[in-house]
Amino acid sequence: QQEKNLMLSNAQTFIDTPYVPNTLEIDDAENLVINCDEVDCTTFVEYVLAMSLCSEQGKDMSEGEFAGNLQRIRYRDGKIDGYTSRLHYIADWIENGVRGGFMEDVTAVNSPYTQTLNLSYMSTHPKDYKQLANSETNVSKMAGYEKALTGQEIHWLPKDMLPSTGLPWIKNGDIIAITTNTPGLDVSHMGIAIYVKDNLCLLHASSDKGKVLVDKNTLSRLLKHNDKWTGIRVIRMKK
Ligand code: NAG
């Protein structure tokens, strides 16, 4: 059984929090939204990471430090400058986190498998995004960010290579980003790694179950049963 750590214990405080999508799309102007009472798969992981990066935990945690961390996690180079400064693609989000020194790309060190990014989903589905549907400028800015990432090589772990018992280099509290075969998209779900009775499971905000929970199925089984999910990227907090 693996040791607990900050990421995992903070993630566990979110268990049963309702799954609510689009909580960041409240205003036309882009502002830092903090809503730990309604989360989707991404915002859940962001809040857990922002908490875990704080110097004091629990009741001594500083709200200002938490907000500062969240901004560095969610926005390119920590700067809020409109909708497209938000890191919508997880490849961009990870690159920003590694560049900022608060994330470590564990798959890059431990998995020999690589894939070439090919991103276009948002600029080709503008109607799915309120802030793209109403702004040609945002669509062309997003297309620019997609182009900048397209062609880059990233490391990943194909789902067939992940045993139900996990792997020694995947630890409790690691961020698990699930890669997808949906054209133009890199990652379509994410959560936190948790070993349960020596099996690797996922603590995540589930749209199916409508809340944050530790999935009863192992991560390997979850991946096997979803044809759109191809594998994982594993990211660790660097503090
Ligand atoms: C991601 C969305 C992003 C949103 C985030 C949090 C994509 C490619 N990315 O899934 O726009 O900010 O969830 O709700 O759709």
Side-chain angles (χ1 to χ4, degrees):
Q1 203 69 13
Q2 285 202 6
E3 273 175 54
K4 260 205 173 188
N5 58 31
L6 271 186
M7 282 290 289
L8 180 54
S9 49
N10 282 323
Q12 285 171 323
T13 66
F14 282 83
I15 285 176
D16 288 334
T17 301
Y19 177 95
V20 180
N22 304 319
T23 56
L24 307 186
E25 322 304 335
I26 43 181
D27 287 325
D28 272 351
E30 185 76 20
N31 291 306
L32 186 69
V33 172
I34 301 179
N35 181 355
C36 296
D37 299 324
E38 300 174 312
V39 295
D40 63 29
C41 61
T42 308
T43 61
F44 161 60
V45 170
E46 288 184 332
Y47 295 135
V48 170
L49 180 58
M51 287 167 76
S52 304
L53 285 167
C54 285
S55 46
E56 307 289 339
Q57 296 291 309
K59 58 176 179 12
D60 295 329
M61 193 178 289
S62 142
E63 229 173 278
E65 193 185 7
F66 170 81
N69 290 340
L70 185 62
Q71 187 166 326
R72 287 194 295 146
I73 294 165
R74 187 174 286 165
Y75 292 93
R76 191 171 294 103
D77 296 316
K79 295 186 189 91
I80 303 180
D81 180 19
Y83 179 73
T84 60
S85 66
R86 201 195 307 160
L87 298 156
H88 299 280
Y89 288 101
I90 295 306
D92 216 359
W93 188 87
I94 293 171
E95 197 178 89
N96 177 76
V98 171
R99 189 168 65 237
F102 53 86
M103 285 181 196
E104 197 182 332
D105 185 351
V106 182
T107 14
V109 184
N110 293 286
S111 175
Y113 304 94
T114 59
Q115 58 173 265
T116 304
L117 293 175
N118 189 356
L119 302 179
S120 61
Y121 192 86
M122 293 183 75
S123 68
T124 54
H125 298 77
K127 290 196 175 64
D128 293 359
Y129 300 89
K130 189 179 140 206
Q131 308 281 44
L132 296 181
N134 63 18
S135 165
E136 296 262 355
T137 315
N138 281 348
V139 175
S140 67
K141 280 188 188 164
M142 272 324 299
Y145 289 122
E146 290 166 350
K147 213 175 146 203
L149 288 159
T150 293
Q152 282 190 31
E153 239 181 35
I154 55 112
H155 286 253
W156 69 304
L157 184 73
K159 61 181 171 182
D160 293 346
M161 301 294 146
L162 181 72
S164 53
T165 49
L167 287 165
W169 53 269
I170 304 178
K171 307 285 191 198
N172 266 339
D174 282 351
I175 298 168
I176 305 288
I178 299 180
T179 54
T180 181
N181 54 21
T182 298
L185 197 60
D186 59 334
V187 161
S188 59
H189 191 51
M190 63 200 303
I192 302 291
I194 178 171
Y195 283 88
V196 182
K197 296 192 188 106
D198 296 325
N199 281 320
L200 176 59
C201 295
L202 193 66
L203 169 47
H204 63 149
S206 160
S207 55
D208 283 356
K209 309 274 163 53
K211 60 180 184 179
V212 175
L213 81 174
V214 178
D215 218 283
K216 292 224 162 13
N217 288 310
T218 64
L219 176 59
S220 142
R221 203 181 156 83
L222 281 181
L223 292 167
K224 231 166 252 159
H225 287 265
N226 190 321
D227 290 342
K228 291 200 166 141
W229 291 352
T230 53
I232 58 174
R233 295 184 69 178
V234 184
I235 309 304
R236 189 166 300 150
M237 170 176 73
K238 197 167 161 189
K239 196 172 173 179

